[in-house]
Amino acid sequence: MGLSKLDNLYRQVILDHSEHPHHHGQLADATNDIEMRNPTCGDVLELQVQLDGDTIKDIAFGGSGCTISQASASMMTDAVLNKSVTQAENMVEVFSELIVGDKPVDSSILGDAAVLEGVKQFPARIKCATLAWKALHKALNSEDHTAEIGDLHAHAPKEDESHDRN
Amino acid sequence: MVKQLKTIKTDFPILDQKVNDEQLVYLDNAATTQKPKAVVEALDHYYYHDNANVHRGVHTLAERATEQFENAREKTAAFINAPSKRNILFTRGTTQSLNWIAASYGEQNIKAGDEIVISYMEHHSNLVPWQQLALRKHATLKYIGMHDDGTLDMAQAKELITDKTKIVSIAHVSNVLGVVNPLKALAALAHEHGAIMVGDGAQSVPHMPVDVQDLDVDFYAFSGHKMLGPTGIGGLYGKEALLNAMPPIEFGGEMIDFVDLYESSWKELPWKFEAGTPDISGAIGMGAAIDYLEAIGLDQVQKHEQAIVDYVLPKLLAIDDLEVYGPQDPSKHTGVIAFNLKGLHPHDLATALDMEGVAVRAGHHCAQPLMKYLSVPATARASFYLYNDFNDADRLVDAIKAAKEFFKNGAI
């Protein structure tokens, strides 16, 4: 098979987002922020959201991770900017269904992120794609809207079977 | 290459398969090793013919199970040249072995102000138990650093190990840098200052002859599944006087001598630490793995792996943009080789290698403080074992080159 199958995972738009991530950095006036880790591989994602009433007025992320996790975070921030919390939460659900579910969904609302559907064929990489979306969900639902450290295992053990423990 | 090892792959049916339409090359042996038919058959035979609980019951099956279980302990003792089977406790593996030392010896002997010395290259299993013990006891945890080539800084070790030191615990072989640490010298240094020496043998026992008496370590921990045995079984070697003075960590069946309403007494070594029904089949499987390894000879295994490292390390170093961690001199590097392709996250590299049928690990290798020390978030890691050959090494090198090409040119 060789590397041809990799084209399904590393689409050009994914490589572009990873290399030049959108909304990468920090917000001065964040209302919600969270740091999430993938404890099995060391990926760290810092996500900041600035809510204006019910609207995501600004969003930014930092941290380190692989191509897929960085691209997914970049795409997620594009998708949810200027959306309401309800719309953003709906996108989180649609994205999760797209990547790990078995029901057909309308992924057009996700923008570029819809292209991450190809990750489905690479089960070991699913958690890379979902990290940013889980972080958003947690950031929007954290009670005190302040720095909270979460990890994928505590959050959603079902999808996070480790592929690289020692 | 060692002659006997040329045809060894046929003993490992799992290796004869295609992954992503390519012949599998399994290079994740530092995580766990594959099992030869002899080990799987030993498990089968035990469950089909001899299964019973051990150390109880007078019936024939119970006697057979007990004999095989204790025979596995004898084999394990001989394998690392322990003086007696009383020195060998069966555990779930290296992690549990190290936790037992911290929970029993550590709990009993560490006081506020005492010092525990480990290194920056320790696996989490030889770090977190000591860190937590230090926190509980208000003791101080100290870390020995490395030279630029990843070898342990013994000059710093001499500064850090003092009369305040009570425990020194170091990996015999690093699971990331592939270096062999001078455990014998460290043990001598620890003993000079009245400290005990603990060796983490997870990556050494499977790959080289180990003699715990020659090393003069006080405790030594290892895992069955990293040396061709089943998961769920491992060993803890301890000097008899230390084990005798230590309290059991778990209580219950199997480990008691006499139970009264308000007090109990324990069995003698090694059983006083093994509460409850043990992993009988696991121990028997590990015994079969030891038989298999001894038939080849650990010196031969070591020679074979060294030949592969001598062959593959220069090829890896010759790839532009590939950073290899640990010593660049093959004679100082064991078959555990961690690397990164510049500009590419190791997960992306590992996925690409998997598409080429080459199984490697990517991540922090349960060594987050080491990753921080190396200033990398994670690395890829190939780790060889006795069933790997030069062809496997070539496949790794070719797959890395193909991945480099793929990501350089971009995808569709």
Side-chain angles (χ1 to χ4, degrees):
Chain A
M1 175 170 293
L3 295 185
S4 55
K5 196 181 167 195
L6 278 186
D7 289 338
N8 298 325
L9 183 60
Y10 296 102
R11 306 285 290 267
Q12 190 59 49
V13 61
I14 293 176
L15 296 176
D16 288 347
H17 271 277
S18 168
E19 208 167 321
H20 307 288
H22 306 174
H23 309 108
H24 195 268
Q26 287 199 319
L27 298 182
D29 303 309
T31 54
N32 303 40
D33 55 34
I34 188 167
E35 180 181 296
M36 274 190 79
R37 290 177 198 160
N38 183 340
T40 61
C41 62
D43 283 2
V44 183
L45 184 86
E46 294 142 12
L47 183 68
Q48 293 184 303
V49 180
Q50 186 187 346
L51 284 178
D52 182 7
D54 188 42
T55 303
I56 298 176
K57 198 180 159 201
D58 207 351
I59 186 162
F61 78 99
S64 68
C66 64
T67 301
I68 304 301
S69 74
Q70 296 297 292
S72 181
S74 171
M75 291 165 164
M76 181 277 286
T77 55
D78 276 356
V80 303
L81 186 64
N82 294 320
K83 298 287 192 299
S84 72
V85 169
T86 316
Q87 283 173 309
E89 287 282 33
N90 182 44
M91 286 180 189
V92 171
E93 270 177 45
V94 168
F95 185 80
S96 173
E97 194 59 40
L98 181 73
I99 304 292
V100 296
D102 42 21
K103 287 188 294 231
V105 286
D106 175 15
S107 60
S108 62
I109 58 164
L110 299 174
D112 282 354
V115 79
L116 285 165
E117 188 178 6
V119 173
K120 234 180 182 164
Q121 298 167 43
F122 297 83
R125 303 303 296 279
I126 283 171
K127 62 179 190 273
C128 311
T130 51
L131 181 63
W133 300 79
K134 286 176 178 173
L136 176 67
H137 173 74
K138 259 208 148 168
L140 294 176
N141 289 280
S142 63
E143 293 212 338
D144 55 359
H145 291 179
T146 53
E148 179 185 339
I149 294 174
D151 73 58
L152 280 167
H153 283 282
H155 190 37
K158 193 187 95 196
E159 294 158 23
D160 298 319
E161 290 188 5
S162 162
H163 65 293
D164 59 1
R165 284 195 199 175
N166 190 352
Chain B
M1 188 179 299
V2 177
K3 210 173 166 191
Q4 203 178 353
L5 292 172
K6 273 191 178 164
T7 53
I8 201 174
K9 279 199 184 191
T10 52
D11 288 347
F12 296 81
I14 198 170
L15 297 175
D16 183 20
Q17 65 172 299
K18 295 206 163 180
V19 166
N20 296 315
D21 297 333
E22 304 284 348
Q23 180 61 42
L24 169 66
V25 174
Y26 184 78
L27 297 179
D28 195 16
N29 294 291
T32 197
T33 58
Q34 301 304 344
K35 320 305 172 198
K37 277 186 245 173
V39 167
V40 180
E41 281 162 9
L43 296 176
D44 259 14
H45 189 275
Y46 168 71
Y47 278 122
Y48 284 147
H49 302 285
D50 306 322
N51 176 52
N53 213 328
V54 291
H55 305 135
R56 60 183 83 160
V58 291
H59 59 80
T60 303
L61 291 189
E63 246 173 64
R64 271 193 229 154
T66 303
E67 192 192 325
Q68 288 176 42
F69 179 71
E70 289 303 328
N71 192 21
R73 200 190 305 270
E74 303 263 12
K75 286 179 193 174
T76 308
F79 190 55
I80 58 170
N81 196 33
S84 148
K85 72 176 213 175
R86 289 189 303 281
N87 300 96
I88 301 293
L89 317 183
F90 282 132
T91 64
R92 278 196 294 120
T94 307
T95 298
Q96 188 174 48
S97 297
L98 293 166
N99 271 281
W100 276 14
I101 308 167
S104 180
Y105 181 89
E107 203 60 40
Q108 198 178 36
N109 292 286
I110 296 296
K111 295 177 203 66
D114 287 348
E115 296 183 354
I116 301 167
V117 176
I118 60 173
S119 85
Y120 280 106
M121 71 172 94
E122 299 312 316
H123 186 284
H124 294 162
S125 62
N126 193 31
L127 190 161
V128 186
W130 307 122
Q131 177 194 71
Q132 295 303 306
L133 174 66
L135 285 172
R136 283 199 303 276
K137 298 288 186 175
H138 304 286
T140 305
L141 186 60
K142 294 198 161 172
Y143 289 83
I144 306 171
M146 285 85 76
H147 297 296
D148 287 345
D149 70 350
T151 54
L152 198 72
D153 185 343
M154 284 301 283
Q156 201 185 12
K158 282 177 190 137
E159 283 167 26
L160 291 179
I161 298 170
T162 67
D163 288 349
K164 284 186 172 176
T165 309
K166 294 293 177 288
I167 297 173
V168 180
S169 190
I170 302 284
H172 198 172
V173 170
S174 162
N175 73 317
V176 179
L177 300 169
V179 293
V180 183
N181 289 319
L183 234 52
K184 192 174 175 174
L186 285 162
L189 196 55
H191 294 154
E192 244 174 62
H193 293 283
I196 61 147
M197 181 71 211
V198 181
D200 170 357
Q203 302 293 347
S204 50
V205 171
H207 302 280
M208 60 181 67
V210 168
D211 180 337
V212 289
Q213 294 187 75
D214 179 59
L215 292 171
D216 199 21
V217 286
D218 297 285
F219 295 101
Y220 198 82
F222 51 97
S223 298
H225 72 100
K226 293 190 200 285
M227 49 184 251
L228 310 179
T231 51
I233 187 77
L236 170 58
Y237 161 82
K239 284 185 180 165
E240 202 166 331
L242 292 172
L243 290 176
N244 268 327
M246 278 159 57
I249 299 106
E250 291 179 339
F251 305 92
E254 303 266 4
M255 56 77 68
I256 48 86
D257 172 45
F258 179 76
V259 175
D260 204 348
L261 282 179
Y262 300 106
E263 55 183 20
S264 299
S265 59
W266 321 132
K267 264 190 192 160
E268 59 187 330
L269 286 177
W271 304 288
K272 88 169 183 186
F273 288 96
E274 295 175 2
T277 298
D279 185 353
I280 305 165
S281 67
I284 291 168
M286 185 162 76
I290 289 170
D291 287 342
Y292 185 91
L293 286 168
E294 284 191 328
I296 293 163
L298 264 289
D299 52 340
Q300 296 298 303
V301 172
Q302 188 178 24
K303 223 160 115 184
H304 174 78
E305 290 176 28
Q306 194 57 53
I308 294 179
V309 174
D310 291 347
Y311 176 79
V312 77
L313 194 59
K315 286 181 190 288
L316 291 171
L317 291 169
I319 301 174
D320 280 344
D321 298 334
L322 191 78
E323 181 156 15
V324 178
Y325 303 98
Q328 317 279 294
D329 172 358
S331 70
K332 289 185 187 166
H333 211 128
T334 66
V336 177
I337 305 176
F339 51 87
N340 266 329
L341 207 45
K342 269 179 207 148
L344 188 64
H345 193 280
H347 280 179
D348 300 313
L349 179 56
T351 294
L353 298 189
D354 185 46
M355 289 302 114
E356 297 277 26
V358 180
V360 301
R361 164 95 192 260
H364 54 56
H365 316 296
C366 302
Q368 286 178 355
L370 175 59
M371 296 293 112
K372 203 172 159 190
Y373 190 89
L374 296 173
S375 301
V376 292
T379 80
R381 179 188 71 189
S383 47
F384 294 86
Y385 205 15
L386 74 174
Y387 40 65
N388 293 121
D389 53 26
F390 291 161
N391 183 50
D392 294 344
D394 286 335
R395 289 276 309 279
L396 170 70
V397 172
D398 291 345
I400 293 171
K401 286 180 180 167
K404 188 185 155 189
E405 209 48 38
F406 177 89
F407 285 102
K408 193 170 81 187
N409 296 332
I412 45 172

